[in-house]
Structure formats: C-alpha cells, structure tokens
Amino acid sequence: MKKILTASMTLLLSAVLCAGCSSGADNAGKDMENPAAGSENGANADSEAGIGNQNEDTQEPVMIQTFAKEDVAVTPEIKEYDFAAAEELGETQQLRGTLPGAAEGVWHIVSIEGVEYYYGKYDFDEDKEAEFFGYAIFSDSYSLHNGITVGMTMEEILGQYPNMAVMDFEGNYLGQEIVYMGWDTSVYPHSYTWQEGGKDYQWSDQFDCIMLADIDLGTAAARPVCLALLVKDGAVAAITFSCPAGGIVSPGWAGESG
C-alpha cells in the first residue's frame, strides 16, 4: 500500500512540475514574440512606484533673461532731483502710508516729463527732507538701449526675450517657471487705510502683471538689480528698476543701492 501511495505522489509531483515548465516556456515564447510588452509593463510599474520620472526631476531650471548694464541704459537720460527741486518742477501727489523700513510717513509722488519719482518723509524725522526711493518711466519718449519702450506688447518682448519672468504681484508665475529672487515692493508707494474705512492702496494695483529680467552690473560686489516692465492690457505701461535684495536704484543708473 505504501508503495502505491508513493508512486501516486511521484506521478502527481511530476505533472505539476511539467505544467509549470510548460507555462514558463509559453510566457517566454510570448515575450520573445513581443519584447515591448514586458518593457511597457515594467515601465508602468516603475512609474507607479515613482521611478521613471527622474528626467523631469533632473532637468536644469530655465534661467532668467539677463541684460548687460549697457543694454538697459535709458535714452534720453533720466534726470535725478532732490525733493525740493522735483517738487518745484513737477506735479506732486501725497499719500500717507508705510515707507521702506515699515515706518509710517508720507509718500510724495512727483511727475516730471513722463517719469514718476517716489519720495518719502518719515513721521519720526519731521525735520529731514523727503528721501528719494525710486522712479518709473511712463512715457514712450524714452527707450532702453535694447529697444524696449513703453507701449510695446508682451508678445513683442517675449518674441525677442523669451526668458523674461512673467508674474503676478503675489509672486505666481503666469508662464514658464523661471528662477528668480523677486523684486522689492517697499520702494513703491503703498498705504494701509483700512482703519479709516478706506481702501488699501498699492502702487502695483494699476497694472495686470510684471515682466522681470536680471541686469549684469559687471561686478559681483554690487547688489543685484532687475529690470521690471509693468504690464497693463497686454502692453508695457511703465518701466522701472529695482533691487530684489532691498535698496535704492538711482536714476543715474550707477546700480548702487543704499
């Protein structure tokens, strides 16, 4: 009886082994007939496991458009005024708000020949003349050496300089993401009047978005300076220069910041 059971078990085991060999051979044959099938399945499995997207992760970031200092020289040259001279020559608007350094004071916006100059007088230093903080070009009678002027469309500019960073005023990219450190908003007039029931004012509210480029000042010792094109209805409405790290960029375009 034991011999009969042993023989039966041997026959059963042989049948199972043969079936497994036959199945493996069949699958091997199918893989040989369609080798892409196995590769595709493997790729899907890798993708689901988070493996297979390494090229995207290792792609180099797009670098922002960089102009030489000479490329963004303004013609005709922007004049520089102390506050007393500017106030005498131009039209002045006043706005109570927050000045650079998060201190309260009064903004003075002076318009002279298509350029707005931004000055501020701190409440804690009433005896001191209003300080210069920045400027913006609003007239198409000025142009940069690279050809950019007020009135050019975004399409024209991106056609020539596709690596300009296009962003809204909350720092969100409106096109391709381009490595950029941002720009300094503190040197442009802004007011927080909600305590008086009024509407907060931000200088940037008059624009839809901003196009940014770096400027190579020719020395690593200088603070970084950027070119900012302020866009309204698809065209450049104003041109300004700003120091992303914080500081003042003078109309003389020395690129020195304080």
Side-chain angles (χ1 to χ4, degrees), residues 4 21 54 62 150 161 181:
I4 294 174
C21 292
Q54 293 181 3
V62 178
V150 168
Y161 309 111
M181 68 182 84

Side-chain angles (χ1 to χ4, degrees), residues 113-254:
E113 298 180 345
V115 178
E116 283 188 356
Y117 296 83
Y118 308 114
Y119 302 86
K121 186 176 180 63
Y122 291 95
D123 288 347
F124 64 77
D125 201 355
E126 295 181 358
D127 297 331
K128 187 175 181 180
E129 184 180 70
E131 300 178 36
F132 170 80
F133 290 119
Y135 69 102
I137 301 166
F138 280 81
S139 172
D140 62 5
S141 61
Y142 298 88
S143 64
L144 305 187
H145 190 265
N146 59 17
I148 294 176
T149 63
V150 168
M152 288 184 69
T153 66
M154 292 180 67
E155 185 177 3
E156 289 176 311
I157 293 170
L158 291 174
Q160 298 180 56
Y161 309 111
N163 284 5
M164 297 282 289
V166 183
M167 309 173 74
D168 65 19
F169 293 98
E170 295 180 354
N172 302 307
Y173 290 98
L174 303 181
Q176 63 177 336
E177 293 192 15
I178 296 177
V179 174
Y180 191 61
M181 68 182 84
W183 74 307
D184 181 20
T185 61
S186 69
V187 296
Y188 300 94
H190 51 286
S191 173
Y192 301 100
T193 57
W194 57 270
Q195 290 180 330
E196 302 171 7
K199 181 180 179 181
D200 294 350
Y201 171 82
Q202 295 286 336
W203 178 79
S204 59
D205 286 349
Q206 61 190 304
F207 309 108
D208 297 327
C209 64
I210 186 169
M211 305 176 72
L212 296 161
D214 274 342
I215 299 171
D216 183 0
L217 299 177
T219 172
R223 288 187 179 184
V225 176
C226 73
L227 167 67
L229 309 179
L230 291 305
V231 176
K232 179 68 176 178
D233 297 330
V236 177
I239 299 172
T240 189
F241 300 93
S242 176
C243 182
I248 298 168
V249 181
S250 69
W253 222 151

Side-chain angles (χ1 to χ4, degrees), residues 17 28 30-32 40 48-49 55 59 66 74 88 102 112 114 120 157 164 168 173 186 188 199 248:
L17 291 175
K30 290 179 182 178
D31 290 344
M32 291 298 292
E40 181 179 353
E48 291 174 2
N55 288 339
Q59 283 181 352
T66 300
V74 182
E88 184 176 344
I112 304 174
I157 293 170
M164 297 282 289
D168 65 19
Y173 290 98
S186 69
Y188 300 94
K199 181 180 179 181
I248 298 168

